[in-house]
């Protein structure tokens, strides 16, 4: 666990908790480090909604599938980021989403009840963790609102440009790498991959963007 302390210190979940207290907190929470291979499921839809995780290395993707097998990507978590916390504390018995490792990953998994219920040691960490969780959930609600604004656009072109301009703001520069391959980007935007690829080619031909795999540059 000690090797992951630098990552844990960067996580909003453990903000306000001193370095020397983190290891003790891990014991209090019963946290465990688990390794997952690329494309391995961390959580499956229908699993008990009683755990949340922190990415220590690698990345995970959160998605849903409809009855026809169409995938919708809801989010992604990278090192120091938290995932599945909204479902763990929403009072739902089962998870409505899948969480899959996008690459070989090490994850810290925590039972949600160990956060909300004070332990026998009367640790003072629990209230701080709850405050941190409120901040995390609020920030993710804002991100989800931004996604709704993007996917509400009428055309594939408008959705693509809205997403790319949002990424430009996030990275603070015109050239950036997005966290999606072509299929994942189509699933995130809620569009057909072939139509999106055709629109990307048109945007490049029109001199609006340039790209190489997941690396994009806004030219206008």
């Amino acid at each position: 666990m000690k090797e992951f302390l630098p990552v844990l210190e960067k996580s909003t979940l453990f903000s306000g908790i001193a370095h020397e207290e983190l290891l003790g907190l891990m014991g209090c929470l019963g946290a465990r480090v688990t390794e997952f291979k690329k494309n391995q499921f961390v959580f499956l839809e229908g699993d008990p909604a009683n755990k949340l995780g922190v990415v220590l290395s690698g990345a995970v993707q959160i998605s849903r599938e409809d009855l026809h097998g169409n995938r919708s990507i809801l989010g992604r978590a990278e090192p120091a980021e938290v995932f599945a916390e909204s479902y763990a504390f929403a009072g739902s018995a089962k998870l409505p989403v899948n969480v899959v490792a996008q690459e070989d990953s090490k994850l810290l998994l925590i039972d949600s009840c160990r956060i909300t219920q004070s332990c026998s040691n009367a640790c003072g960490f629990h209230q701080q963790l709850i405050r941190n969780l409120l901040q995390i959930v609020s920030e993710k609600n804002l991100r989800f609102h931004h996604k709704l604004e993007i996917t509400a656009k009428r055309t594939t072109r408008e959705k693509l440009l809205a997403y790319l301009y949002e990424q430009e703001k996030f990275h603070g520069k015109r050239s950036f790498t997005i966290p999606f391959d072509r299929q994942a980007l189509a699933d995130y935007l809620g569009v057909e991959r072939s139509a999106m690829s055709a629109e990307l080619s048109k945007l490049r031909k029109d001199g609006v963007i340039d790209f190489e795999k997941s690396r994009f540059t806004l030219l206008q």
Side-chain angles (χ1 to χ4, degrees):
M1 187 73 74
K2 288 183 178 179
E3 64 181 294
F4 299 114
L5 285 179
V7 180
L8 296 176
E9 288 178 325
K10 295 178 182 177
S11 176
T12 303
L13 181 61
F14 303 114
S15 177
I17 298 173
H19 171 90
E20 60 273 12
E21 297 175 325
L22 273 175
L23 283 179
L25 175 59
M26 293 301 104
C28 176
L29 296 177
R32 57 188 178 88
V33 177
T34 307
E35 297 186 24
F36 293 86
K37 296 295 185 182
K38 182 178 180 180
N39 296 327
Q40 184 179 354
F41 282 97
V42 179
F43 299 138
L44 276 168
E45 182 178 353
D47 282 351
N50 57 8
K51 290 184 177 63
L52 64 151
V54 181
V55 179
L56 301 174
S57 66
V60 300
Q61 184 172 274
I62 301 93
S63 65
R64 293 191 70 174
E65 289 189 8
D66 63 21
L67 294 175
H68 304 289
N70 299 311
R71 183 179 63 162
S72 176
I73 294 178
L74 304 178
R76 169 185 165 99
E78 299 182 345
E81 293 185 329
V82 180
F83 62 91
E85 75 293 335
S86 296
Y87 309 107
F89 294 102
S92 302
K94 297 181 179 180
L95 280 172
V97 299
N98 295 314
V99 179
V100 63
Q102 284 198 290
E103 52 193 85
D104 291 350
S105 304
K106 292 183 179 180
L107 311 174
L108 183 76
L109 299 181
I110 304 170
D111 287 337
S112 57
C113 64
R114 299 291 290 267
I115 292 179
T116 55
Q117 298 175 5
S118 296
C119 63
S120 58
N121 296 324
C123 296
F125 304 126
H126 297 276
Q127 291 301 315
Q128 182 64 46
L129 286 173
I130 291 171
R131 286 192 291 269
N132 293 343
L133 278 167
L134 285 173
Q135 180 181 341
I136 290 168
V137 170
S138 297
E139 290 174 350
K140 288 192 176 181
N141 281 338
L142 290 175
R143 283 188 226 165
F144 185 66
H145 177 70
H146 287 312
K147 183 190 175 184
L148 288 178
E149 289 180 338
I150 292 170
T151 55
K153 302 295 183 184
R154 297 182 62 183
T155 67
T156 299
R157 185 186 184 97
E158 290 174 340
K159 292 179 181 182
L160 274 169
L161 288 175
Y163 174 74
L164 293 174
Y165 286 135
E166 187 75 22
Q167 289 295 301
E168 179 192 29
K169 290 179 183 177
F170 176 77
H171 291 281
K173 51 187 177 182
R174 291 198 165 201
S175 294
F176 47 82
T177 300
I178 67 172
F180 300 126
D181 59 20
R182 290 290 182 272
Q183 185 60 59
L185 178 58
D187 292 342
Y188 180 81
L189 296 177
V191 299
E192 290 292 334
R193 177 177 175 173
S194 58
M196 185 193 73
S197 296
E199 198 58 59
L200 284 171
S201 296
K202 290 178 184 177
L203 286 167
R204 179 156 61 182
K205 183 178 179 180
D206 293 342
V208 178
I209 65 172
D210 195 14
F211 56 87
E212 178 66 29
K213 295 184 178 180
S214 294
R215 183 76 178 175
F216 286 81
T217 300
L218 296 180
L219 303 176
Q220 294 183 11

